[in-house]
Amino acid sequence: MVDMDPLPALRDVIASLGLSAKKSFGQNFLLDFNLTRRIARASGKIDGFTVIEIGPGPGGLTRALFMEGARQVVVVESDLRFKPVLNAISDTYPGRLHVVMGDALKTPLQSHIDGPCVIIANLPYNVATALLINWLKTDPWPPWFERMTLMFQKEVAARIVAEPGQKAYGRLSVLSNFRCHTQTLFDINPKAFTPPPKVTSTLVELIPKIPQVDAPDIGDLEAVTRAAFSQRRKMLRSSLKTIFPRPLQILKLAEIEPDWRAEQVDLAGFCRLAHHLHQEKNG
Ligand code: SAM
């Protein structure tokens, strides 16, 4: 851990390069090292780890990760304007920062990793859910990363950690909690960002679970949750017609009441439905 790096203040970096935030890239920057270092510390042990960071922008979180002891950081940034700033950070930490310029949704990350790895990011909100679902669908599971600490809009964070019966409970809650132990860590006020977004942000921790021997295929789980929640006000005996020819029979076998709505079914219930879907598909 170091007190401060020798690089210029983030506001000066942005001003000197004339880097205005672009909405199309979901850019809201954290320029206060007290906050980015707090995020790095809340992410648990990073000393000796490779950290994957999506969307470093001007590098506030990247620099905090190094200050807090990350062995190596791999960043994926799609806005080419940030290349010189990221190269300057790389020069300060020789051989420890790997910069990948490209779309994180299309960039295979695993090839950049040797040793234990965590994902830590203030995610671009326009692709945050898509990125999370990709990581949750990693095959094989447990995955190549030991932990994810990710910043989302508060309402997306609420969906990730939601439990049955809660308004925010949905497909994202089921898939996230099937794969990971999830918890929210803390909220961040819009005023902490430059420019401030319209909504509060929340840092979420996701720690991969060891799968149970009888765990269903995540693709089947995704299909049943999509069918159930895409018509969330309907009873399951009706909404599941899109994937099961005889939903009443399947619901009985899965020990789920046919007049329940999707939000009443817990993770174990959805796993039973996913097993039945698998059987129906494979005979
Ligand atoms: N990490 C910086 C911070 O905390 O100040 C910036 C976070 S900003 C919310 C999101 C960053 O993700 C921006 O730098 C943006 O250019 C980048 N970004 C947006 N879409 C991306 C994508 N598909 N792949 C990689 N980076 C992306």
Side-chain angles (χ1 to χ4, degrees), residues 12-33:
D12 297 340
V13 170
I14 289 179
S16 67
L17 294 168
L19 292 170
S20 55
K22 284 190 183 168
K23 216 174 170 182
S24 58
F25 281 106
Q27 291 176 347
N28 302 98
F29 305 127
L30 291 171
L31 305 181
D32 175 2
F33 282 113

Side-chain angles (χ1 to χ4, degrees), residues 1-5 8-10 28-44 46 51 53 55-70 89 93 120-123 149 151 185-188 192-194 203:
M1 209 185 94
V2 293
D3 266 355
M4 201 56 211
D5 63 28
L10 285 158
N28 302 98
F29 305 127
L30 291 171
L31 305 181
D32 175 2
F33 282 113
N34 290 320
L35 188 50
T36 49
R37 293 186 75 160
R38 186 175 168 216
I39 294 169
R41 284 195 299 273
S43 306
I46 56 168
V51 181
E53 187 200 352
L61 182 56
T62 319
R63 288 166 59 178
L65 293 168
F66 280 124
M67 288 180 217
E68 294 298 328
I89 302 175
Y93 297 96
I120 303 173
N122 170 16
L123 290 175
T149 311
M151 182 117 68
L185 297 178
F186 53 82
D187 288 349
I188 299 181
F193 296 85
T194 304
L203 196 64

Side-chain angles (χ1 to χ4, degrees), residues 150-217:
L150 305 171
M151 182 117 68
F152 294 93
Q153 296 178 46
K154 189 178 169 97
E155 61 82 32
V156 177
R159 283 166 50 207
I160 293 168
V161 302
E163 296 188 0
Q166 294 180 337
K167 209 172 145 206
Y169 184 62
R171 191 165 76 99
L172 195 59
S173 335
V174 176
L175 297 180
S176 301
N177 290 285
F178 171 63
R179 284 305 209 192
C180 297
H181 300 282
T182 66
Q183 66 165 331
T184 55
L185 297 178
F186 53 82
D187 288 349
I188 299 181
N189 192 296
K191 283 189 211 144
F193 296 85
T194 304
K198 289 201 176 72
V199 290
T200 299
S201 301
T202 302
L203 196 64
V204 180
E205 178 185 80
L206 299 106
I207 299 181
K209 288 179 179 172
I210 304 295
Q212 295 183 341
V213 242
D214 60 348
D217 183 273

